[in-house]
Amino acid sequence: MRTDAGAAGGTGTEAAGGTGTEAGAEAGAEVPRARTPSRGARPRAMVLDEVWRELDGVGPLSGPQGGPLSRTVKLLLDPLVIRPVLHPQCAGPLVTAEGAALLAALIHASADALRATAAWFTLLKQVRRGLRITEGNPQDLYFQLCFELAATQGPPAPATGGRTAEEALRETHGSAQGRTTRALREYLTDPAHTTALASALDTAWAARTVEPAPGVRPDEGREGGTPVEIRTVLDACPAGRSAGTRNSGSRDSGSRDSGGRWSGAGGGAALARLVADHAGTTAGRALWGARREPAPSARELGLTRHPVLVRPGLGGGSASTSALGLPFDRTVHERVFTVLQTSSDRAGLAPVPELVRHEIARSCAPWALTDESLRVAATVGVQLALGLRPLGGQPGADGGTGAHRAINSRWRREAYVLQARRLAVDLGADASDTSGASGPGGVAVAEPLARIARELRTPWRAYLRRLWVRLHGRDVRDAPMTGVEELWNVLDGVARSVILDHRGRVRHALSARPAATEGTVS
């Protein structure tokens, strides 16, 4: 019954430099009343807000103003009640009158289950306090568990509800087997360990080498592999997935050998050569500042705020997904903390001391990754990211491959991208208008949209931050990149995640726009 809708990997929405899928503090999903769009369509968030307010007994799942919490929508309503995949009329930022009616019918049909879910959630929080459990966010951990209890048992029974809640809590938290963020913090701040861990971090950072790895040709350039090979991989990525789906044996898709790796002509062979030549290692070492060829630095790629990479800290104090640094600037504590927070099955991870030791070595490795295939994926991802042009224009020297065309064409069709183009022109006009004729708060109202418009001019930064998060998660779980089809699934998935994040932020900015200024912003 439970659906790990909030798990990472990629989710969804993996962190982009400390923002995005790395969720921050809980915020309500309720929205102010806004002008109804034309053609009978209405904002889906508004419809949800109105239907939710018609229910009683769901206060624990609601925000301060009475609308559903954003986690209520993400963890309960969408995956378990509305199920947009089965009911596409209820999907998307806007819904028609028919879609709104179906959405309301689905929620009202589950009203009893939602009321029971709210009752179980209240009870589990009470029992949690009695057991002195402080690990994790209760909404993330218990919303779907409570819905499961509501579906199987109804509302909690006065005689047995407390015992059932305690058993459910012990099972939920016991499955981590000591792999908790609290255990991580205690281990990193224990005086018996801190000196040795800090020494290990110093040693690993000092041991970095700037010499080419064995098998790497010195003239391969800053990108760590010949551009021809990387472009071949990027050309084969979209074709590889299509060919794999059709089972056509396309020359670009390659074929798997007995070990599960991709071989053969085209993209599969090019990817294999990049891995064999340690191209990812070379590119990662170049980001340390050892090579001087003209190329974007780690700072320009959005992976660090420092001109030259500095040794990561050990950390050990507080950590929060809402306050994470850029990927290469994160402490060892923050990196392991993120893995624990986003893991749906911590029992499959190594014990905390082993996680920390491995992360110390990983943080001082090229790309802060240990697996060569993942380093190559990061290197290929840079070539892809630098050719992304959501606002239009030529991809330039870095673009023009099948992967670029697939992502750019999808991104440019987004309505918010078209609005960002107009906004760039409007803000340019407003900047030269000092008379105040743009109306009260004209530019200030558009600031959230202007921020997105600015991000779209340097799309590679948000893209590469999310890509690194996904590759880091795979590295921790020993999940190498096995071929061009899997590589494309990751590269394309990151692009979709960035697009969805922007789309959600635009929808929120538009729904929250003051009515007084709604008519002044196109």
Side-chain angles (χ1 to χ4, degrees), residues 462-481:
Y463 182 91
L464 291 174
R465 288 195 291 264
R466 291 190 182 227
L467 176 61
W468 182 87
V469 169
R470 294 205 181 184
L471 297 178
H472 177 262
R474 294 178 68 101
D475 205 29
V476 172
R477 293 169 176 80
D478 296 321
M481 201 66 63

Side-chain angles (χ1 to χ4, degrees), residues 78-237:
D78 275 344
L80 302 175
V81 176
I82 301 170
R83 294 178 291 180
V85 174
L86 298 179
H87 305 102
Q89 311 97 306
C90 301
L94 299 176
V95 293
T96 63
E98 294 79 7
L102 176 58
L103 187 148
L106 291 171
I107 293 178
H108 281 292
S110 298
D112 290 340
L114 291 170
R115 279 189 284 268
T117 299
W120 276 110
F121 183 63
T122 299
L123 180 58
L124 258 66
K125 286 199 299 181
Q126 293 173 352
V127 176
R128 170 189 167 99
R129 286 193 292 269
L131 296 175
R132 299 184 183 275
I133 296 174
T134 59
E135 178 69 23
N137 185 294
Q139 295 169 357
D140 287 332
L141 293 174
Y142 308 147
F143 267 7
Q144 293 183 350
L145 171 61
C146 291
F147 192 90
E148 180 180 346
L149 291 171
T152 56
Q153 302 187 28
T160 61
R163 184 171 65 253
T164 301
E166 181 176 344
E167 292 173 355
L169 286 171
R170 292 190 184 279
E171 179 182 356
T172 298
H173 291 276
S175 64
Q177 299 181 0
R179 298 167 178 85
T180 65
T181 56
R182 179 177 180 178
L184 171 65
R185 183 174 62 254
E186 292 175 350
Y187 178 74
L188 289 172
T189 56
D190 186 345
H193 303 302
T194 53
T195 301
L197 293 175
S199 176
L201 186 57
D202 288 334
T203 301
W205 188 256
R208 294 176 307 144
T209 175
V210 298
E211 297 300 321
V216 177
R217 297 185 295 274
D219 60 347
E220 283 179 326
R222 172 122 181 174
E223 289 79 15
T226 63
V228 172
E229 289 177 336
I230 295 179
R231 289 175 63 85
T232 299
V233 171
L234 289 173
D235 266 324
C237 276

Side-chain angles (χ1 to χ4, degrees), residues 253-264 480-487 489:
S253 65
S255 59
R256 293 183 187 274
D257 59 22
S258 59
R261 298 257 175 202
W262 283 75
S263 58
M481 201 66 63
T482 58
V484 289
E485 183 178 3
E486 187 173 16
L487 174 61
N489 285 337

Side-chain angles (χ1 to χ4, degrees), residues 480-504:
M481 201 66 63
T482 58
V484 289
E485 183 178 3
E486 187 173 16
L487 174 61
W488 175 243
N489 285 337
V490 172
L491 297 177
D492 188 47
V494 170
R496 293 178 184 274
S497 177
V498 174
I499 292 172
L500 289 174
D501 175 65
H502 282 163
R503 187 189 297 171

